[in-house]
């Protein structure tokens, strides 16, 4: 399972989180966000990494040209679209950056919002489900209604986000089976300042969940 820690702003924390077990680091490329980092800052963090992880730029309603410029300058290897990007925009972006993973975030307010996922199946590589907030695009700490996701089985990989913490990750992974999880505020002291003890606890809980599942259903 992929584990993405988003809102990385500090090189030492990015390095530590990668070594703790994260498979992806997320960098917020939205200037209005308190977790915003410039392309130069992202490049500095990525260049300091000594372990290979996915480096994902988070954009919201940016142009294809803006995204391409940031990707090149920062040396990102994946893109997350967290705004109102249409399927047509996603297709255009994939044509411009054919080697890049494109992740489309969907902010879920009601079960009907899940139907929107069908529109993106053929134009992105991965989906991400986050909690809806009227003013904020992400990092809200709000938890999704997991009951509404019980029958969500898209034909492409998906991340679960929205209010995940070390304390509730075990329950989330018991009730749902995403291909990845995405945390930001749930492992922070303040926006952009990660709590490495909480990150360590997160991986302890994930490991405990995996071991418990193996005890219940040992491999044959």
């Amino acid at each position: 399972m992929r584990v993405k820690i988003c809102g990385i702003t500090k090189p030492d924390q990015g390095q530590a989180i990668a070594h703790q077990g994260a498979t992806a680091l997320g960098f917020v490329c939205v200037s209005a966000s308190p977790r915003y980092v410039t392309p130069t800052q992202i490049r500095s963090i990525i260049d300091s990494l000594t372990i290979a992880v996915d480096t994902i730029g988070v954009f919201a309603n940016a142009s294809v040209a803006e995204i391409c410029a940031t990707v090149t300058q920062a040396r990102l290897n994946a893109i997350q679209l967290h705004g109102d990007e249409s399927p047509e925009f996603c297709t255009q972006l994939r044509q411009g950056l054919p080697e890049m993973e494109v992740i489309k975030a969907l902010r879920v307010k009601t079960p009907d919002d899940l139907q929107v996922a069908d529109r993106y199946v053929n134009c992105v590589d991965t989906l991400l489900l986050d909690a809806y907030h009227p003013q904020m695009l992400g990092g809200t700490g709000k938890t999704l209604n997991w009951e509404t996701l019980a029958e969500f089985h898209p034909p492409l990989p998906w991340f679960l986000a929205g209010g995940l913490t070390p304390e509730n990750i075990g329950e989330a992974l018991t009730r749902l089976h995403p291909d990845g999880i995405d945390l930001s505020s749930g492992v922070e002291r303040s926006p952009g300042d990660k709590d490495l003890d909480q990150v360590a606890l997160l991986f302890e809980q994930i490991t405990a969940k995996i071991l418990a599942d193996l005890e219940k259903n040992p491999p044959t």
Side-chain angles (χ1 to χ4, degrees):
M1 184 181 66
R2 300 173 72 183
V3 180
K4 173 173 172 272
I5 305 298
C6 200
I8 301 296
T9 63
K10 303 174 186 296
D12 59 334
Q13 292 183 358
Q15 177 80 283
I17 289 167
H19 279 274
Q20 284 177 317
T23 63
L25 303 179
F27 302 94
V28 179
C29 304
V30 181
S31 60
S33 170
R35 299 175 181 87
Y36 172 69
V37 276
T38 67
T40 300
Q41 289 172 311
I42 297 170
R43 174 72 172 271
S44 176
I45 296 171
I46 291 174
D47 285 349
S48 73
L49 294 174
T50 57
I51 187 170
V53 294
D54 291 329
T55 52
I56 303 173
V58 181
F59 300 86
N61 303 321
S63 69
V64 170
E66 289 170 334
I67 294 172
C68 289
T70 298
V71 164
T72 300
Q73 186 176 350
R75 287 190 176 174
L76 296 162
N77 64 20
I79 301 158
Q80 179 178 317
L81 302 174
H82 219 98
D84 302 314
E85 297 86 4
S86 67
E88 293 75 20
F89 179 90
C90 296
T91 298
Q92 183 182 2
L93 183 63
R94 286 180 93 186
Q95 290 171 346
L97 296 168
E99 303 302 319
M100 303 283 289
E101 178 186 15
V102 176
I103 303 165
K104 180 67 182 85
L106 304 176
R107 295 185 293 148
V108 180
K109 184 177 182 181
T110 70
D112 291 341
D113 293 331
L114 295 174
Q115 298 176 13
V116 176
D118 292 339
R119 300 174 54 208
Y120 291 91
V121 165
N122 296 317
C123 57
V124 301
D125 303 290
T126 309
L127 296 171
L128 182 148
L129 300 189
D130 202 354
Y132 173 84
H133 188 284
Q135 281 86 40
M136 299 173 66
L137 293 176
T140 66
K142 291 185 63 177
T143 305
L144 283 161
N145 182 344
W146 296 333
E147 289 183 7
T148 66
L149 305 182
E151 301 304 319
F152 184 68
H153 304 293
L156 72 173
W158 67 284
F159 280 93
L160 176 66
L164 296 177
T165 68
E167 290 72 28
N168 67 18
I169 194 63
E171 180 185 358
L173 296 179
T174 296
R175 299 174 64 174
L176 301 170
H177 302 284
D179 300 281
I181 56 173
D182 185 348
L183 290 87
S184 184
S185 61
V187 288
E188 282 183 332
R189 288 184 286 257
S190 61
D193 182 16
K194 303 305 179 190
D195 185 330
L196 297 182
D197 290 337
Q198 284 294 99
V199 176
L201 180 58
L202 171 73
F203 284 104
E204 288 176 13
Q205 295 299 320
I206 292 172
T207 300
K209 176 66 172 63
I210 292 170
L211 292 175
D213 288 346
L214 286 173
E215 283 188 11
K216 290 179 181 178
N217 301 289
T220 56

Coordinates of all heavy atoms in Angstrom, one line a residue, residues 101-153:
E101 N 2.7 10.4 -13.6 CA 1.5 10.0 -13.0 C 0.6 11.2 -12.7 O 1.0 12.2 -12.1 CB 1.7 9.2 -11.7 CG 0.4 8.8 -11.0 CD 0.7 8.2 -9.6 OE1 1.8 8.4 -9.0 OE2 -0.3 7.5 -9.1
V102 N -0.7 11.1 -13.1 CA -1.6 12.2 -12.8 C -2.7 11.7 -11.8 O -3.4 10.6 -12.1 CB -2.3 12.7 -14.1 CG1 -3.4 13.7 -13.8 CG2 -1.3 13.3 -15.1
I103 N -2.8 12.3 -10.7 CA -3.7 11.9 -9.7 C -4.8 13.0 -9.6 O -4.5 14.2 -9.5 CB -3.0 11.9 -8.3 CG1 -1.9 10.9 -8.3 CG2 -4.0 11.5 -7.2 CD1 -0.9 11.0 -7.2
K104 N -6.1 12.6 -9.6 CA -7.2 13.6 -9.5 C -7.9 13.4 -8.2 O -8.4 12.4 -7.8 CB -8.2 13.4 -10.7 CG -9.4 14.4 -10.6 CD -8.9 15.8 -10.9 CE -10.0 16.9 -10.7 NZ -10.2 17.3 -9.3
A105 N -7.8 14.5 -7.4 CA -8.5 14.5 -6.1 C -10.0 14.9 -6.3 O -10.3 15.8 -7.1 CB -7.8 15.5 -5.2
L106 N -10.8 14.2 -5.6 CA -12.3 14.5 -5.6 C -12.7 14.8 -4.2 O -12.4 14.0 -3.3 CB -13.1 13.3 -6.1 CG -12.7 12.7 -7.5 CD1 -13.5 11.5 -7.8 CD2 -12.9 13.8 -8.6
R107 N -13.3 15.9 -4.0 CA -13.7 16.3 -2.6 C -15.2 15.8 -2.5 O -16.1 16.3 -3.2 CB -13.6 17.8 -2.5 CG -12.1 18.3 -2.5 CD -12.0 19.8 -2.2 NE -12.6 20.6 -3.3 CZ -13.2 21.8 -3.1 NH1 -13.3 22.2 -1.9 NH2 -13.7 22.4 -4.1
V108 N -15.4 14.9 -1.6 CA -16.6 14.2 -1.4 C -17.5 14.9 -0.3 O -17.1 14.9 0.9 CB -16.4 12.7 -1.1 CG1 -17.7 12.0 -1.0 CG2 -15.5 12.1 -2.2
K109 N -18.6 15.4 -0.7 CA -19.6 16.0 0.2 C -20.8 15.0 0.5 O -21.2 14.9 1.6 CB -20.1 17.3 -0.3 CG -21.0 18.1 0.7 CD -21.3 19.4 0.1 CE -22.2 20.2 1.1 NZ -22.6 21.5 0.5
T110 N -21.2 14.4 -0.6 CA -22.4 13.5 -0.5 C -22.0 12.2 -1.4 O -21.1 12.3 -2.2 CB -23.6 14.1 -1.1 OG1 -23.5 14.2 -2.5 CG2 -23.9 15.5 -0.5
P111 N -22.7 11.1 -1.2 CA -22.5 9.9 -2.0 C -22.5 10.2 -3.5 O -21.9 9.5 -4.2 CB -23.5 9.0 -1.5 CG -23.8 9.4 -0.1 CD -23.7 10.9 -0.1
D112 N -23.4 11.1 -3.9 CA -23.5 11.4 -5.3 C -22.2 11.9 -5.9 O -22.0 11.8 -7.1 CB -24.6 12.5 -5.5 CG -26.0 11.9 -5.2 OD1 -26.1 10.7 -5.2 OD2 -26.9 12.8 -5.1
D113 N -21.3 12.5 -5.1 CA -20.1 13.0 -5.6 C -19.2 11.9 -6.1 O -18.3 12.2 -6.9 CB -19.3 13.8 -4.5 CG -20.1 15.1 -4.1 OD1 -20.8 15.7 -5.0 OD2 -20.0 15.5 -2.9
L114 N -19.4 10.7 -5.6 CA -18.5 9.6 -6.0 C -18.8 9.2 -7.5 O -17.9 8.7 -8.1 CB -18.8 8.4 -5.1 CG -18.4 8.5 -3.7 CD1 -18.8 7.3 -2.9 CD2 -16.9 8.7 -3.5
Q115 N -20.0 9.6 -8.0 CA -20.3 9.3 -9.4 C -19.4 10.1 -10.3 O -19.2 9.7 -11.5 CB -21.7 9.6 -9.7 CG -22.7 8.7 -8.8 CD -24.1 9.0 -9.0 OE1 -24.5 9.8 -10.0 NE2 -25.0 8.5 -8.2
V116 N -18.8 11.2 -9.9 CA -18.0 12.0 -10.7 C -16.7 11.2 -11.1 O -16.1 11.5 -12.1 CB -17.6 13.3 -10.0 CG1 -16.6 14.1 -10.8 CG2 -18.8 14.1 -9.6
A117 N -16.3 10.3 -10.3 CA -15.1 9.5 -10.5 C -15.2 8.8 -11.9 O -14.1 8.7 -12.6 CB -14.9 8.4 -9.4
D118 N -16.4 8.4 -12.3 CA -16.5 7.7 -13.6 C -16.0 8.6 -14.8 O -15.5 8.1 -15.8 CB -17.9 7.4 -13.9 CG -18.4 6.3 -12.9 OD1 -17.6 5.6 -12.3 OD2 -19.7 6.2 -12.7
R119 N -16.1 9.9 -14.6 CA -15.7 10.8 -15.7 C -14.2 10.9 -15.9 O -13.7 11.3 -16.9 CB -16.2 12.2 -15.4 CG -17.7 12.3 -15.3 CD -18.1 13.7 -14.9 NE -17.6 14.7 -15.8 CZ -17.3 16.0 -15.4 NH1 -17.5 16.4 -14.2 NH2 -16.8 16.9 -16.3
Y120 N -13.4 10.4 -14.8 CA -12.0 10.6 -14.9 C -11.2 9.3 -15.1 O -10.0 9.2 -15.2 CB -11.5 11.2 -13.6 CG -11.9 12.6 -13.4 CD1 -13.1 13.0 -12.8 CD2 -11.1 13.7 -13.9 CE1 -13.5 14.3 -12.6 CE2 -11.5 15.0 -13.8 CZ -12.7 15.3 -13.1 OH -13.0 16.6 -13.0
V121 N -12.0 8.2 -15.2 CA -11.3 6.9 -15.3 C -10.4 6.7 -16.5 O -9.3 6.1 -16.3 CB -12.4 5.8 -15.4 CG1 -11.9 4.4 -15.9 CG2 -13.2 5.6 -14.1
N122 N -10.7 7.3 -17.6 CA -9.8 7.2 -18.8 C -8.9 8.3 -19.0 O -8.1 8.3 -20.0 CB -10.7 7.0 -20.0 CG -11.6 5.8 -20.0 OD1 -11.1 4.7 -19.6 ND2 -12.8 5.9 -20.3
C123 N -8.8 9.3 -18.0 CA -7.9 10.4 -18.3 C -6.9 10.7 -17.2 O -6.1 11.6 -17.2 CB -8.7 11.7 -18.6 SG -9.9 12.1 -17.3
V124 N -7.0 9.9 -16.1 CA -6.0 10.0 -15.0 C -5.5 8.6 -14.7 O -6.1 7.6 -15.1 CB -6.5 10.7 -13.8 CG1 -7.0 12.1 -14.1 CG2 -7.6 9.9 -13.1
D125 N -4.4 8.6 -13.9 CA -3.8 7.3 -13.5 C -4.4 6.8 -12.1 O -4.5 5.6 -11.8 CB -2.3 7.4 -13.4 CG -1.7 7.8 -14.7 OD1 -1.7 7.0 -15.7 OD2 -1.2 9.0 -14.8
T126 N -4.7 7.8 -11.3 CA -5.0 7.5 -9.9 C -6.1 8.5 -9.4 O -6.0 9.7 -9.8 CB -3.8 7.6 -9.0 OG1 -2.7 6.8 -9.5 CG2 -4.1 7.1 -7.6
L127 N -7.0 8.1 -8.5 CA -7.9 9.0 -7.9 C -7.5 9.2 -6.4 O -6.8 8.3 -5.8 CB -9.3 8.4 -7.9 CG -10.0 8.3 -9.3 CD1 -11.3 7.5 -9.2 CD2 -10.2 9.6 -10.0
L128 N -8.0 10.3 -5.8 CA -7.8 10.5 -4.4 C -9.1 11.1 -3.9 O -9.6 12.1 -4.4 CB -6.6 11.5 -4.2 CG -6.3 11.8 -2.7 CD1 -4.8 12.1 -2.6 CD2 -7.0 13.1 -2.2
L129 N -9.6 10.5 -2.8 CA -10.9 11.0 -2.2 C -10.5 11.8 -0.9 O -9.9 11.3 0.0 CB -11.8 9.8 -1.9 CG -12.2 8.9 -3.0 CD1 -13.3 8.0 -2.6 CD2 -12.7 9.8 -4.2
D130 N -11.0 13.0 -0.9 CA -10.8 13.9 0.2 C -12.1 14.4 0.7 O -13.1 14.4 0.0 CB -9.8 15.1 -0.2 CG -9.1 15.7 1.0 OD1 -9.4 15.3 2.2 OD2 -8.3 16.6 0.8
A131 N -12.1 14.9 2.0 CA -13.3 15.5 2.5 C -13.6 16.9 1.9 O -12.7 17.7 1.7 CB -13.2 15.6 4.0
Y132 N -14.9 17.2 1.7 CA -15.3 18.5 1.2 C -15.2 19.6 2.3 O -15.6 19.3 3.4 CB -16.7 18.4 0.6 CG -17.2 19.8 0.2 CD1 -16.9 20.3 -1.0 CD2 -18.0 20.6 1.1 CE1 -17.4 21.6 -1.4 CE2 -18.5 21.8 0.7 CZ -18.2 22.3 -0.5 OH -18.6 23.5 -0.9
H133 N -14.7 20.7 1.9 CA -14.7 21.9 2.8 C -15.0 23.1 1.9 O -14.4 23.3 0.9 CB -13.4 22.1 3.5 CG -13.4 23.1 4.6 ND1 -13.3 24.5 4.3 CD2 -13.5 23.0 6.0 CE1 -13.4 25.2 5.4 NE2 -13.4 24.3 6.4
P134 N -15.9 24.0 2.3 CA -16.3 25.1 1.4 C -15.2 26.1 1.2 O -15.2 26.7 0.1 CB -17.5 25.7 2.2 CG -17.3 25.3 3.6 CD -16.7 23.9 3.6
Q135 N -14.2 26.2 2.1 CA -13.2 27.2 1.9 C -11.8 26.6 1.6 O -11.0 27.3 1.0 CB -13.1 28.1 3.1 CG -14.1 29.2 3.2 CD -15.4 28.7 3.9 OE1 -15.3 28.0 4.8 NE2 -16.5 29.1 3.4
M136 N -11.6 25.4 2.0 CA -10.3 24.8 1.9 C -10.3 23.6 0.9 O -11.2 22.9 0.9 CB -9.8 24.3 3.3 CG -9.7 25.4 4.3 SD -9.3 24.8 6.0 CE -7.7 24.1 5.7
L137 N -9.2 23.5 0.2 CA -9.1 22.4 -0.8 C -8.5 21.1 -0.3 O -8.7 20.1 -0.8 CB -8.2 22.9 -2.0 CG -8.8 24.0 -2.9 CD1 -7.8 24.4 -3.9 CD2 -10.1 23.6 -3.5
G138 N -7.9 21.2 0.9 CA -7.3 20.0 1.5 C -6.6 20.4 2.8 O -6.6 21.5 3.2
G139 N -6.1 19.3 3.5 CA -5.5 19.6 4.8 C -6.4 20.1 5.8 O -6.0 20.8 6.8
T140 N -7.7 19.7 5.7 CA -8.7 20.3 6.6 C -8.8 19.5 7.9 O -9.3 20.1 8.9 CB -10.1 20.2 6.0 OG1 -10.5 18.9 5.8 CG2 -10.1 21.0 4.6
G141 N -8.4 18.3 8.0 CA -8.6 17.5 9.2 C -9.9 16.9 9.3 O -10.2 16.1 10.2
K142 N -10.8 17.1 8.3 CA -12.1 16.6 8.3 C -12.1 15.1 7.7 O -11.4 14.9 6.7 CB -13.1 17.4 7.4 CG -13.4 18.8 8.0 CD -14.4 19.5 7.1 CE -15.8 18.8 7.1 NZ -16.8 19.5 6.3
T143 N -12.8 14.3 8.4 CA -12.9 12.9 8.0 C -14.1 12.6 7.0 O -15.1 13.1 7.2 CB -13.1 11.9 9.2 OG1 -12.0 12.2 10.1 CG2 -13.0 10.5 8.8
L144 N -13.8 11.8 6.0 CA -14.9 11.4 5.1 C -15.8 10.5 5.8 O -15.5 9.8 6.8 CB -14.3 10.6 3.9 CG -13.6 11.5 2.8 CD1 -12.7 10.6 2.0 CD2 -14.7 12.1 1.9
N145 N -17.1 10.4 5.3 CA -18.0 9.4 5.8 C -17.6 8.1 5.2 O -18.0 7.8 4.0 CB -19.4 9.8 5.5 CG -20.5 8.8 6.0 OD1 -20.1 7.7 6.4 ND2 -21.7 9.2 6.0
W146 N -16.9 7.2 5.9 CA -16.4 6.0 5.3 C -17.5 5.1 4.9 O -17.3 4.3 4.0 CB -15.5 5.3 6.3 CG -14.3 6.1 6.7 CD1 -13.7 7.0 5.9 CD2 -13.5 6.1 7.9 NE1 -12.6 7.6 6.5 CE2 -12.4 7.0 7.7 CE3 -13.6 5.3 9.0 CZ2 -11.5 7.2 8.7 CZ3 -12.7 5.5 10.0 CH2 -11.6 6.5 9.9
E147 N -18.7 5.2 5.5 CA -19.8 4.3 5.1 C -20.2 4.5 3.7 O -20.6 3.6 2.9 CB -21.0 4.5 6.0 CG -20.8 4.0 7.4 CD -22.1 4.2 8.3 OE1 -23.1 4.6 7.7 OE2 -22.0 3.9 9.5
T148 N -20.1 5.8 3.2 CA -20.5 6.1 1.8 C -19.4 5.5 0.8 O -19.7 5.4 -0.4 CB -20.6 7.6 1.6 OG1 -19.3 8.2 1.7 CG2 -21.5 8.2 2.6
L149 N -18.3 5.1 1.3 CA -17.2 4.6 0.4 C -17.2 3.1 0.4 O -16.3 2.5 -0.4 CB -15.8 5.1 0.9 CG -15.7 6.6 1.0 CD1 -14.2 6.9 1.4 CD2 -16.1 7.3 -0.3
A150 N -18.0 2.4 1.1 CA -18.0 1.0 1.2 C -18.1 0.3 -0.1 O -17.5 -0.8 -0.4 CB -19.0 0.5 2.2
E151 N -18.9 0.9 -1.0 CA -19.1 0.2 -2.3 C -18.3 0.9 -3.4 O -18.6 0.8 -4.6 CB -20.6 0.3 -2.7 CG -21.5 -0.5 -1.7 CD -21.0 -1.9 -1.5 OE1 -20.7 -2.6 -2.5 OE2 -21.0 -2.4 -0.3
F152 N -17.3 1.7 -3.0 CA -16.5 2.5 -4.0 C -15.4 1.5 -4.5 O -14.4 1.3 -3.8 CB -15.9 3.7 -3.4 CG -15.1 4.6 -4.4 CD1 -15.8 5.2 -5.4 CD2 -13.7 4.7 -4.2 CE1 -15.0 6.0 -6.3 CE2 -13.0 5.5 -5.1 CZ -13.7 6.2 -6.1
H153 N -15.5 1.1 -5.7 CA -14.5 0.2 -6.3 C -14.2 0.6 -7.7 O -14.6 0.0 -8.7 CB -15.0 -1.3 -6.3 CG -15.4 -1.8 -4.9 ND1 -14.5 -2.0 -3.9 CD2 -16.7 -2.1 -4.4 CE1 -15.2 -2.4 -2.8 NE2 -16.5 -2.5 -3.1

